[in-house]
């Protein structure tokens, strides 16, 4: 393959720094015990050893984003009359994410279908997505709770990435997967990669077999409609859930949001913020009616969305990338892979 | 002792209650997960070891309609006492299975020690050593090194309230004056230093509300000001001032109510030491009212009472 | 879709007229500030719009004036939460934002040549009103039109002017009912589903369209089934909390369908396929 490159370990830092002069670069940084995607800076402690606590979804889908601002203007001749002026915010900088994991990159492809591949594309998501290059890193080992291979991914999966980097003995092997990815090969210190292709492939295959498969040897089967609609099943499965939003906010594929107006005096903003289907408010109506008032109904919707509704709508694609974060960071260790496993028909 | 005795007790308790909340193994050997037992055959799943970290008493107010048995550690038992003080549970409908505890693990600390490798096995040895097996090999740890900070100053290793005890009571060997040492130390820093510290910590907050929802004393839950539009005190923006405001309100609502189970901090996916704020307020409540939450069912939380003059609060002299 | 570039950006409209329908329901007649837009704007009966009070937020309402009468767009708002309360504080001359049209429409083409039975309760007459007026403006396309409409008390009946007109027309049968006896009320007394059974319309060649409070819909559906209406001939329009209006934000889904985009209009046959809908 022609579109490959290699960066020796000692030039890795300079490579990232070089890219950061051309675009806004997000890298996983260690803060205390937590790994987070942050804008690159020389003072940051980079951490590629394990997946970040939260995926890089906030780079393209910020936790809070201004859809537009509004200003009220009083008519000087008629103070009773107020005009409102709206201003959109649709300027997005060129951005590179380095060190996302294959599961994180797959998360963006789950977003793409409802956000860009429709007759009403979302200009905020689409704008950032087009301006962002996703440089993914092959996992060196699985993490607690992760199960990407069981949901169609792999620790070296290329879906959703512009380039894939695999750590080999002396450095980093890069494969460009898109035009945007090829630009990365122009970064400082990139050498010819041909000689390292073999090592990288071996490494990728080795990790693949280490990932657990929670769904048994036959893989993920069909969700049993009888069990799915059995209230007792859900009640038992999620009685321990505390209905917080850690699972949804840390999920690379969870894309629900809220829209609220935040006003100060004569101006304000309409913002779009992350929201989660696990919160009781999510579907609560002004009348007091709530179509999903109990946590088991909400959890059922969450699992249903990922493993049943989304696949129904988008050609069988599962809206779960198996990153394991919802399992790893769940306050009560609720395990979605166990629940889905138990949902499979006999 | 321990798990076997606990199973015996729960077998008995199950005859008189609708459900018993205990622990079973979670997705790996390092994680326990709450189990809601209503059939005798589930009893075999029960475990008891230092991975049993969750405060199971937190589920009690939401199960008020039922008769419930619950497994509690010493620290968790204070939740039950606090619920009794605040009238949040009907004690006659709760059967408390106490388990004396010499400390639990902090999953975060263990994972740090084994470089976040997937856990293959965890074995607790009699001498307090922990063997953690990962694909990278076996690591021997001592429980004291990987316990959450709350265990290092634990004054209540034996539950303060229980109906059954699953092991011999343990006396605390910790000094009461050490409980708030960390708070006092932190208060030694300048205001500017403290501000910088908290701004850096809160910057990571993703407003997932795990700290709130896992908190046994956060009783507002579904009508929290964090999401309320009326009053609209906090916007949905993800900026420092909003995050700060949320955590301040969370802490202040817990003044003299926080039982220091540490759940808020344990569950934070961003590793923010939110428990420190609550401890700070408890420290103040102790100084002002000589009150310690969750130890005596007869107590009244100071914020539930009103006196025209408080002995230790100096009124503004006008 | 209102704005092909940015579906979240509302268009500014000015309120021309406000009608107090009931003690807690107001109708707003609005026109686009851009007079050209009033000419290019198209929609179909049953489609909805998001109304904005800037600084407060958005809420979803059906466009209840028919596309055959384009002097203004009418939305009816029952005061329930923050946005609806703010809307109730608006007067003629005030501005608001509109994102419309959103969602699907009543299958009015397939209803041509059929008998039409409308069953409404309270504010649930709003979406039916659009279709009723549309059909009356294309009267020759449809056979008998029967409207069963009820509310809690007589003052709670919406669109009183329309009701008077429909009552006077020979080509519409209007049956009004209220839940309980009320001073001066001489028409039917009883819940809408009960009145439906009394009227006992024939399912023959008939499409039933219903909207109202959830509990009313529940019993109306049961009674229509007893009257041997087929599921595909029973149409309803749903509401749910909506934010984006374009099938993304995740609130209004019933399984894989989004009320804001795939709905709000569904046949009972479609709803039976969706988890949690019935």
């Amino acid at each position: 393959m022609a579109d490959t490159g290699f960066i020796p370990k000692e030039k890795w830092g300079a490579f990232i720094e070089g890219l950061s002069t051309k675009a806004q670069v997000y890298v996983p940084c260690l803060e205390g015990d937590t790994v987070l995607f942050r804008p690159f800076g020389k003072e940051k402690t980079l951490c590629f050893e394990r997946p970040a606590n939260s995926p890089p979804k906030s780079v393209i889908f910020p936790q809070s984003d201004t859809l537009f601002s509004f200003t009220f203007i009083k008519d000087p001749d008629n103070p009773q009359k107020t005009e409102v002026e709206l201003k959109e915010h649709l300027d997005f900088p060129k951005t590179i994410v380095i060190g996302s994991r294959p599961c994180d990159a797959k998360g963006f492809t789950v977003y793409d279908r409802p956000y860009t591949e429709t007759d009403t594309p979302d200009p905020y998501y689409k704008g950032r997505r087009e301006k962002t290059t996703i440089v993914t890193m092959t996992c060196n080992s699985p993490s607690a709770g992760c199960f990407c291979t069981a949901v169609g991914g792999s620790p070296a999966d290329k879906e959703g990435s512009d380039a894939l980097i695999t750590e080999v003995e002396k450095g980093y092997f890069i494969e460009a997967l898109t035009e945007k990815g090829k630009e990365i090969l122009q970064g400082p210190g990139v050498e010819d990669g041909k000689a390292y292709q073999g090592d990288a492939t071996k490494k990728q295959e080795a990790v693949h077999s280490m990932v657990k498969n929670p769904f048994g040897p036959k893989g993920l089967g069909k969700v049993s409609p009888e069990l799915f609609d059995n209230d007792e099943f859900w009640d038992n499965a999620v009685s321990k859930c505390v209905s917080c939003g850690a699972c949804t906010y840390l999920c690379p594929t969870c894309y629900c949001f809220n829209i609220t107006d935040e006003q100060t005096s004569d101006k304000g903003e309409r913002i779009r913020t992350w929201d989660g289907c696990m919160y009781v408010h999510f579907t609560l109506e002004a009348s007091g009616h709530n179509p999903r008032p109990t946590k088991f109904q909400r959890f059922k919707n969450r699992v249903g969305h990922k493993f049943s509704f989304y696949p129904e709508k988008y050609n069988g694609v599962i809206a779960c990338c198996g990153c394991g974060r919802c399992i790893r960071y769940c306050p009560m260790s609720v395990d979605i892979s166990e629940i889905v496993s138990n949902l499979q028909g006999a | 002792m321990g798990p076997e005795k606990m199973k015996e007790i729960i077998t008995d308790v199950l005859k008189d209650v609708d459900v018993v909340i205990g622990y079973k193994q979670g997705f790996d050997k390092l994680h326990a997960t709450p189990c809601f037992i209503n059939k005798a055959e589930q009893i075999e799943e029960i475990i008891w070891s230092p991975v049993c970290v969750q405060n199971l008493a937190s589920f009690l107010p939401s199960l008020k309609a039922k008769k419930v048995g619950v497994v509690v550690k010493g620290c968790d038992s204070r939740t039950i006492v606090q619920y009794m003080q605040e009238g949040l549970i009907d004690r006659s409908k709760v059967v408390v299975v106490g388990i004396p505890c010499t400390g639990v693990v902090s999953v975060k600390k263990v994972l740090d020690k084994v470089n976040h490798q997937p856990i293959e096995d965890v074995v607790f040895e009699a001498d307090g050593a922990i063997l953690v097996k990962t694909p990278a090999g076996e690591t021997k740890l001592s429980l004291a090194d990987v316990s959450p900070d709350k265990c290092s100053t634990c004054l209540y290793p034996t539950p303060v309230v229980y109906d059954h005890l699953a092991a011999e009571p343990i006396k605390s060997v910790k000094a009461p004056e050490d409980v708030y040492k960390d708070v006092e130390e932190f208060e030694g820093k300048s205001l500017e230093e403290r501000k910088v510290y908290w701004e850096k910590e809160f910057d990571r907050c993703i407003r997932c509300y795990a700290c709130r929802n896992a908190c046994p004393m956060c009783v507002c839950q579904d009508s929290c000001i964090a999401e309320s539009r009326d009053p609209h005190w906090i916007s949905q923006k993800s900026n420092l001032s909003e995050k700060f405001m949320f955590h301040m309100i969370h802490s202040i609502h817990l003044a003299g109510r926080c039982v220091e189970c540490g759940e808020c901090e344990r569950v934070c996916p961003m590793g923010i030491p939110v428990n420190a704020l609550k401890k700070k307020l408890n420290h103040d409540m102790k100084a002002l009212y000589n009150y310690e939450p969750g130890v005596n069912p007869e107590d009244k939380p100071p914020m539930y009472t009103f006196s025209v003059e408080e002995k230790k609060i100096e009124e503004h002299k006008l | 879709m209102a704005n092909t570039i940015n579906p979240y950006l509302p268009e500014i409209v000015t309120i021309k007229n406000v009608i107090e329908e009931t003690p807690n329901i107001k109708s707003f007649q609005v026109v686009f500030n851009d007079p050209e837009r009033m000419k290019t704007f198209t929609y179909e009966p049953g489609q909805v719009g998001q109304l904005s009070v800037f600084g407060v937020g958005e809420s979803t309402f059906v466009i209840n004036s028919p596309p055959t009468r384009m002097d203004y767009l009418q939305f009816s708002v029952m005061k329930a939460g923050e946005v609806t309360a703010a809307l109730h504080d608006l007067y003629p001359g005030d501005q608001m934002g509109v994102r419309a049209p959103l969602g699907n429409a009543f299958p009015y083409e397939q209803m041509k040549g059929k008998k039409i039975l409308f069953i409404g309760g309270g504010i649930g007459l709003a979406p039916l009103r659009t279709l009723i007026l549309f059909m009356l403006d294309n009267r020759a396309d449809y056979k008998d039109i029967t409207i069963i409409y009820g509310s809690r008390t007589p003052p709670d009946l919406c669109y009183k002017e329309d009701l008077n007109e429909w009552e006077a027309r020979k080509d519409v049968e209007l049956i009004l009912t209220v839940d309980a006896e009320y001073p001066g009320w001489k028409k039917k007394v009883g819940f809408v589903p009960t009145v439906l059974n009394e009227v006992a319309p024939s399912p023959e060649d008939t499409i039933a369209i219903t909207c109202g409070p959830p509990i009313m819909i529940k019993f109306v559906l049961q009674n229509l089934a007893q009257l041997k209406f087929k599921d595909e001939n029973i149409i309803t329009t749903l509401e749910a909390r909506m934010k984006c209006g374009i099938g993304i934000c995740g609130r209004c889904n019933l399984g894989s369908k989004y009320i804001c985009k795939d709905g709000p209009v569904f046949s009972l046959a479609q709803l039976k396929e969706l988890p949690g809908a019935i």
Side-chain angles (χ1 to χ4, degrees):
Chain A
M1 199 198 270
D3 300 322
T4 61
F6 176 76
I7 308 161
K9 284 218 163 124
E10 63 277 12
K11 292 186 181 165
W12 177 237
F15 167 72
I16 295 172
E17 204 183 323
L19 293 177
S20 76
T21 60
K22 303 220 172 63
Q24 168 178 269
V25 169
Y26 280 85
V27 278
C29 298
L30 189 66
E31 288 184 19
D33 289 337
T34 309
V35 182
L36 291 171
F37 280 88
R38 296 286 202 191
F40 173 78
K42 277 195 216 170
E43 72 290 354
K44 303 274 167 74
T45 312
L46 273 45
C47 178
F48 295 97
E49 283 74 43
R50 57 182 156 108
N53 290 49
S54 54
K57 75 172 175 182
S58 59
V59 175
I60 295 180
F61 191 69
Q63 178 153 16
S64 72
D65 199 6
T66 303
L67 297 177
F68 57 83
S69 45
F70 49 85
T71 314
F72 297 107
I73 303 156
K74 278 218 185 302
D75 184 342
D77 299 326
N78 179 4
Q80 290 281 63
K81 212 175 158 207
T82 310
E83 298 270 320
V84 61
E85 209 176 80
L86 308 183
K87 196 169 165 274
E88 299 168 89
H89 298 265
L90 286 166
D91 273 343
F92 310 113
K94 188 174 174 187
T95 303
I96 304 170
V97 175
I98 303 178
S100 54
R101 297 302 174 120
C103 48
D104 300 338
K106 188 186 172 186
F108 290 122
T109 68
V110 171
Y111 267 74
D112 289 344
R113 294 176 194 94
Y115 278 79
T116 67
E117 295 160 21
T118 80
D119 54 343
T120 49
D122 183 298
Y124 305 91
Y125 176 83
K126 194 163 182 262
R128 284 199 183 82
R129 178 81 163 114
E130 282 166 358
K131 288 275 190 101
T132 305
T133 306
I134 310 286
V135 182
T136 297
M137 194 151 236
T138 301
C139 293
N140 284 336
S141 67
S143 293
C146 69
F147 57 100
C148 61
T149 51
V151 285
S154 99
D157 199 61
K158 292 168 184 170
E159 198 190 354
S161 300
D162 296 296
L164 182 70
I165 294 186
T166 305
E167 192 181 345
V168 289
E169 201 191 337
K170 293 201 173 93
Y172 299 90
F173 172 76
I174 317 179
E175 260 173 279
L177 306 165
T178 65
E179 287 306 314
K180 283 194 278 185
K182 280 182 195 165
E183 267 182 56
I184 298 297
L185 295 177
Q186 308 305 313
V190 179
E191 301 170 3
D192 184 22
K194 221 180 285 164
Y196 303 91
Q197 172 93 58
D199 284 358
T201 308
K202 248 185 250 162
K203 171 84 176 273
Q204 294 170 358
E205 281 163 5
V207 194
H208 193 282
S209 60
M210 290 164 70
V211 181
K212 75 161 182 183
N213 175 5
F215 306 129
K218 275 201 228 147
L220 180 58
K222 280 250 179 296
V223 167
S224 145
E226 289 74 34
L227 283 172
F228 189 76
D229 285 323
N230 181 339
D231 290 358
E232 205 188 330
F233 172 87
W234 290 104
D235 222 3
N236 286 334
V238 302
S239 43
K240 59 193 174 187
C241 165
V242 294
S243 221
C244 75
C247 50
T248 58
Y249 283 12
L250 299 176
C251 174
T253 72
C254 269
Y255 59 73
C256 292
F257 61 81
N258 195 0
I259 297 176
T260 54
D261 283 16
E262 307 291 353
Q263 189 183 356
T264 51
S265 67
D266 62 339
K267 54 177 184 281
E269 290 174 338
R270 178 159 294 166
I271 62 168
R272 181 243 296 278
T273 47
W274 290 359
D275 205 347
C277 59
M278 302 306 292
Y279 297 123
V280 70
H281 307 86
F282 188 63
T283 49
L284 181 64
E285 292 164 19
S287 63
H289 173 69
N290 194 341
R292 300 198 278 263
T294 64
K295 67 182 172 191
F296 93 72
Q297 286 164 310
R298 299 193 287 274
F299 206 99
K300 177 180 170 184
N301 181 69
R302 178 163 165 268
V303 174
H305 185 231
K306 292 187 184 313
F307 290 88
S308 176
F309 313 152
Y310 190 98
E312 227 172 84
K313 200 164 173 160
Y314 301 110
N315 221 2
V317 177
I318 295 167
C320 166
C321 57
C323 74
R325 288 186 179 93
C326 62
I327 302 171
R328 242 179 350 264
Y329 300 110
C330 173
M332 298 297 150
S333 291
V334 177
D335 180 351
I336 194 170
S337 70
E338 182 194 2
I339 291 172
V340 173
S341 193
N342 291 339
L343 266 180
Q344 296 175 98
Chain B
M1 289 306 277
E4 289 319 309
K5 180 85 189 286
M6 189 185 282
K7 285 179 193 172
E8 265 172 47
I9 294 171
I10 291 175
T11 307
D12 258 8
V13 169
L14 193 57
K15 290 171 192 153
D16 302 320
V17 300
D18 300 308
V19 62
V20 179
I21 315 169
Y23 301 95
K24 65 175 183 179
Q25 195 196 296
F27 66 92
D28 67 20
K29 286 279 184 70
L30 187 57
H31 291 81
T33 187
C35 66
F36 289 66
I37 302 153
N38 44 34
K39 295 182 207 77
E41 59 263 33
Q42 288 173 281
I43 288 173
E44 264 321 294
E45 294 182 321
I46 292 171
I47 61 161
W48 165 251
S49 80
V51 301
C52 298
V53 291
Q54 293 95 347
N55 180 355
L56 303 180
S58 308
F59 293 104
L60 292 174
S62 64
L63 294 170
K64 246 177 143 174
K66 294 183 173 174
K67 193 160 185 199
V68 182
V70 62
V71 173
V72 297
K73 307 183 286 288
C75 48
D76 307 335
S77 72
R78 291 175 63 185
T79 306
I80 293 175
V81 172
Q82 195 66 20
Y83 283 156
M84 290 163 71
Q85 288 185 23
E86 300 190 19
L88 293 169
I89 55 166
D90 177 352
R91 179 67 179 87
S92 68
K93 288 169 80 177
V94 176
V95 180
V96 182
V97 181
I99 176 83
C101 164
T102 51
V104 291
V105 297
S106 154
V107 170
K108 287 174 191 166
K109 287 186 183 177
V110 175
L111 286 176
D112 251 10
K113 300 268 185 201
V114 298
N115 292 322
H116 297 262
Q117 289 283 312
I119 303 294
E120 286 175 350
D121 200 9
V122 178
V123 180
F124 294 94
E125 301 194 323
D127 59 354
I130 310 169
L131 289 177
V132 184
K133 213 177 142 215
T134 71
E138 206 169 75
T139 312
K140 191 168 180 165
L141 303 166
S142 99
L143 183 59
D145 288 344
V146 292
S147 278
D149 297 345
K150 68 169 181 177
C151 296
S152 65
T153 57
C154 174
L155 300 180
Y156 305 99
T158 303
V160 292
V161 57
Y162 56 83
D163 300 304
H164 306 272
L165 209 54
E168 288 302 314
I170 304 169
K171 268 211 165 74
S172 172
V173 290
K174 309 282 161 61
E177 58 272 22
D178 285 349
V179 174
Y180 295 110
K181 231 175 163 175
D182 51 349
V183 174
E184 285 157 7
E185 208 170 287
F186 190 75
E187 283 177 326
K189 295 184 189 209
S190 73
L191 193 60
E192 189 51 34
E193 279 175 297
R194 281 182 273 162
K195 183 168 171 270
V196 168
Y197 174 85
W198 282 114
E199 282 179 351
K200 191 159 177 279
E201 294 298 324
F202 286 138
D203 185 43
R204 291 200 300 278
C205 173
I206 53 170
R207 297 185 67 170
C208 69
Y209 307 126
C211 54
R212 174 190 73 186
N213 288 30
C215 172
M217 300 315 299
C218 255
V219 289
C220 303
Q221 296 269 337
D222 296 347
S223 14
C224 175
I225 58 109
E227 289 130 332
S228 158
R229 292 281 299 184
D230 182 20
H232 192 187
W233 290 342
I234 302 183
S235 88
Q236 292 309 305
K237 284 191 183 175
S238 171
N239 57 27
L240 198 53
S241 62
E242 309 306 296
K243 296 171 184 176
F244 211 97
M245 177 77 170
F246 165 70
H247 286 287
M248 287 307 130
I249 291 185
H250 186 182
S251 305
I252 287 166
H253 277 179
L254 289 164
R257 300 179 60 241
C258 169
V259 292
E260 295 177 27
C261 65
E263 285 290 84
C264 53
E265 186 164 320
R266 179 185 70 77
V267 302
C268 178
M270 294 290 123
I272 304 171
V274 281
N275 195 35
L277 294 167
K278 285 116 199 174
K279 274 186 86 175
K280 152 73 181 154
L281 283 158
N282 266 5
H283 187 36
D284 289 352
M285 297 307 277
K286 178 97 180 151
L288 290 172
Y289 303 102
N290 192 29
Y291 173 79
E292 189 182 359
V295 289
N296 177 7
E298 308 307 316
D299 281 352
K300 265 244 172 287
M303 291 297 150
Y304 276 51
T305 62
F306 176 78
S307 307
V308 176
E309 300 218 5
E310 291 285 358
K311 266 185 236 156
K312 292 187 183 171
I313 300 177
E314 256 184 71
E315 300 294 334
H316 292 288
K317 301 272 187 289
L318 295 173
Chain C
M1 183 61 230
N3 187 323
T4 48
I5 317 281
N6 189 345
Y8 298 104
L9 196 68
E11 296 176 272
I12 308 295
V13 296
T14 298
I15 299 171
K16 287 292 158 192
N17 195 14
V18 180
I19 301 163
E20 290 208 28
E21 302 285 357
T22 77
N24 69 343
I25 297 170
K26 286 185 183 180
S27 289
F28 296 86
Q29 297 173 347
V30 305
V31 295
F32 288 101
N33 282 12
D34 175 4
E36 273 308 300
R37 184 65 179 132
M38 211 59 217
K39 290 177 200 151
T40 57
F41 185 80
T42 56
Y43 66 102
E44 293 179 284
Q47 287 194 289
V48 300
Q50 286 268 17
L51 299 188
S52 278
V53 181
F54 297 103
V56 182
E58 279 188 310
S59 212
T60 317
F61 306 92
V62 67
I63 309 172
N64 70 57
S65 53
T68 43
R69 303 179 189 188
M70 282 301 285
D71 303 332
Y72 52 79
L73 302 176
Q74 178 170 299
F75 299 91
S76 299
V77 178
M78 183 162 81
K79 200 169 167 176
E82 192 193 6
V83 176
T84 52
L87 283 165
H88 271 232
D89 285 341
L90 297 181
Y91 295 92
D94 285 344
Q95 296 191 337
M96 60 169 131
V98 170
R99 289 196 288 136
L102 301 169
N104 70 354
F106 288 111
Y108 56 92
E109 286 293 333
Q110 284 127 270
M111 296 180 189
K112 280 186 179 167
K114 308 239 167 161
K115 290 188 277 181
I116 310 293
L117 169 66
F118 290 99
I119 307 152
I123 183 95
L125 186 59
L128 306 186
R129 176 187 193 261
T130 329
L131 189 57
I132 294 169
L133 295 180
F134 178 84
M135 287 180 166
L136 293 180
D137 291 344
N138 296 284
R139 189 62 190 88
D141 288 346
Y142 305 92
K143 287 190 188 161
D144 302 355
I145 295 179
T146 307
I147 304 166
I148 301 174
Y149 176 51
S151 67
R152 224 155 37 87
T153 70
D156 292 312
L157 292 165
C158 294
Y159 313 117
K160 295 184 183 73
E161 231 175 87
D162 293 324
L163 298 179
N164 288 336
E165 197 196 313
W166 300 341
E167 206 154 36
R169 284 181 78 133
K170 294 269 178 296
D171 57 355
V172 176
E173 193 188 353
L174 176 69
I175 298 144
L176 292 177
T177 180
V178 295
D179 290 357
E181 297 285 350
Y182 195 88
W185 181 257
K186 296 195 176 63
K187 292 167 192 161
K188 282 190 183 292
V189 171
F191 295 121
V192 169
T194 318
V195 172
L196 170 64
N197 274 3
E198 284 170 27
V199 177
S202 152
E204 190 75 18
D205 208 21
T206 305
I207 308 279
I209 304 138
T210 182
C211 186
I215 185 78
M216 183 206 93
I217 293 188
K218 185 180 161 191
F219 289 109
V220 164
L221 295 180
Q222 282 179 12
N223 294 358
L224 285 172
Q226 281 171 15
L227 291 166
K228 304 266 187 304
F229 274 80
K230 285 195 187 130
D231 289 349
E232 57 268 29
N233 291 336
I234 301 172
I235 311 287
T236 187
T237 171
L238 302 179
E239 61 170 8
R241 192 165 180 219
M242 296 172 191
K243 286 283 181 179
C244 71
I246 51 174
I248 314 180
C249 83
R251 269 170 194 72
C252 67
N253 70 306
L254 296 165
S256 64
K257 301 285 184 216
Y258 288 79
I259 293 176
C260 70
K261 186 149 182 161
D262 305 306
V265 177
F266 294 96
S267 71
L268 183 58
Q270 288 170 321
L271 287 183
K272 282 190 172 169
E273 297 291 306
L274 298 175
I278 304 286

